[in-house]
C-alpha cells in the first residue's frame, strides 16, 4: 500500500471545501429570477442555466468515473430542465451523490492518474480541484449577471 509523504488537507476537509462552494453556487442559482436564469447573458456568454448544466454534467459524472475507473466522454445532461426549481432539485441530488461517491475514495486514489472524460489525464486530486475551480469560474459569471440585474450576490466567502 502506498503512503503519502505529506498531506496538506484531509479528504474530509477537501469535501467540506467543495460542498461549501456548491452551497454557495446553489444560493446564486436561487437568486436568479426565473426568466433571467434561462435567458440573461452578457457579451455572448451562456445563460446561468447553461453554465449550471455544465456544472451538473461534470461533478457527479466526473467523480463517478474516477471512483469506478470508467473513462466516459463528457456529455451534458440530455434531460431538458425547464424550471429553476428542477435545477435546484438536481443540484441537491448531485450534492448527495458526491458525498456517496466520495466515501469510496481511498487516500491512495488521490495520487492515481485518471483520464477524466477521456480527455484530461491527471492525478485524481487535480481532476477534483478542476471540478471546484470550474465551478468557481462559472459562479463568478453568475455574480456578474446578478449585479447587472441589480441583484446583490452572496458574499463569496460565506460558504
Amino acid at each position: 500500500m502506498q503512503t503519502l509523504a505529506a498531506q496538506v488537507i484531509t479528504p474530509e476537509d477537501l469535501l467540506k471545501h467543495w460542498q461549501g462552494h456548491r452551497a454557495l453556487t446553489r444560493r446564486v442559482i436561487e437568486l436568479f429570477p426565473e426568466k433571467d436564469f434561462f435567458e440573461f447573458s452578457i457579451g455572448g456568454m451562456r445563460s446561468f442555466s447553461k453554465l449550471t448544466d455544465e456544472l451538473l454534467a461534470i461533478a457527479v459524472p466526473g467523480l463517478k468515473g474516477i471512483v469506478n475507473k470508467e473513462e466516459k466522454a463528457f456529455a451534458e445532461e440530455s434531460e431538458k430542465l425547464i424550471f429553476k426549481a428542477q435545477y435546484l432539485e438536481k443540484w441537491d441530488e448531485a450534492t448527495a451523490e458526491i458525498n456517496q461517491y466520495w466515501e469510496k475514495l481511498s487516500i491512495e486514489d488521490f495520487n492515481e492518474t485518471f483520464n477524466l472524460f477521456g480527455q484530461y489525464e491527471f492525478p485524481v486530486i487535480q481532476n477534483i480541484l478542476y471540478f471546484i475551480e470550474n465551478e468557481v469560474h462559472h459562479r463568478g459569471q453568475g455574480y456578474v449577471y446578478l449585479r447587472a440585474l441589480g441583484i446583490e450576490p452572496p458574499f463569496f466567502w460565506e460558504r
Side-chain angles (χ1 to χ4, degrees), residues 62-117:
L63 187 57
K64 182 179 178 181
I66 289 168
V67 167
N68 294 331
K69 298 181 180 8
E70 295 176 347
E71 295 177 15
K72 292 187 178 179
F74 176 77
E76 289 192 19
E77 293 296 320
S78 59
E79 182 181 2
K80 181 75 171 142
L81 305 177
I82 58 172
F83 298 107
K84 188 174 71 167
Q86 292 173 303
Y87 277 87
L88 292 169
E89 184 178 330
K90 283 285 186 192
W91 195 264
D92 293 343
E93 289 170 6
T95 297
E97 286 184 84
I98 288 167
N99 290 338
Q100 291 169 359
Y101 283 107
W102 194 268
E103 291 177 12
K104 297 176 183 181
L105 289 172
S106 70
I107 191 71
E108 292 81 19
D109 290 333
F110 289 91
N111 281 336
E112 295 297 318
T113 298
F114 181 74
N115 192 6
L116 182 68
F117 302 122

Side-chain angles (χ1 to χ4, degrees), residues 16-157:
K16 182 179 176 182
H17 178 79
W18 185 12
Q19 292 292 26
H21 279 290
R22 290 184 56 77
L24 182 54
T25 300
R26 188 188 196 287
R27 289 174 47 216
V28 170
I29 295 168
E30 288 175 330
L31 285 172
F32 269 88
E34 185 80 22
K35 182 178 186 286
D36 293 323
F37 180 68
F38 292 95
E39 297 178 8
F40 190 81
S41 73
I42 295 174
M45 294 189 296
R46 293 173 285 169
S47 68
F48 204 65
S49 67
K50 292 292 184 194
L51 297 174
T52 304
D53 283 335
E54 179 185 313
L55 298 176
L56 288 168
I58 288 174
V60 171
L63 187 57
K64 182 179 178 181
I66 289 168
V67 167
N68 294 331
K69 298 181 180 8
E70 295 176 347
E71 295 177 15
K72 292 187 178 179
F74 176 77
E76 289 192 19
E77 293 296 320
S78 59
E79 182 181 2
K80 181 75 171 142
L81 305 177
I82 58 172
F83 298 107
K84 188 174 71 167
Q86 292 173 303
Y87 277 87
L88 292 169
E89 184 178 330
K90 283 285 186 192
W91 195 264
D92 293 343
E93 289 170 6
T95 297
E97 286 184 84
I98 288 167
N99 290 338
Q100 291 169 359
Y101 283 107
W102 194 268
E103 291 177 12
K104 297 176 183 181
L105 289 172
S106 70
I107 191 71
E108 292 81 19
D109 290 333
F110 289 91
N111 281 336
E112 295 297 318
T113 298
F114 181 74
N115 192 6
L116 182 68
F117 302 122
Q119 298 179 52
Y120 309 105
E121 193 159 349
F122 299 106
V124 166
I125 185 64
Q126 290 183 22
N127 286 323
I128 291 169
L129 291 173
Y130 164 76
F131 300 162
I132 298 167
E133 292 164 357
N134 186 59
E135 181 176 331
V136 171
H137 162 71
H138 288 313
R139 188 175 62 238
Q141 290 172 280
Y143 274 53
V144 171
Y145 290 178
L146 289 174
R147 289 195 182 279
L149 291 165
I151 300 167
E152 183 72 25
F155 295 120
F156 72 89
W157 59 84

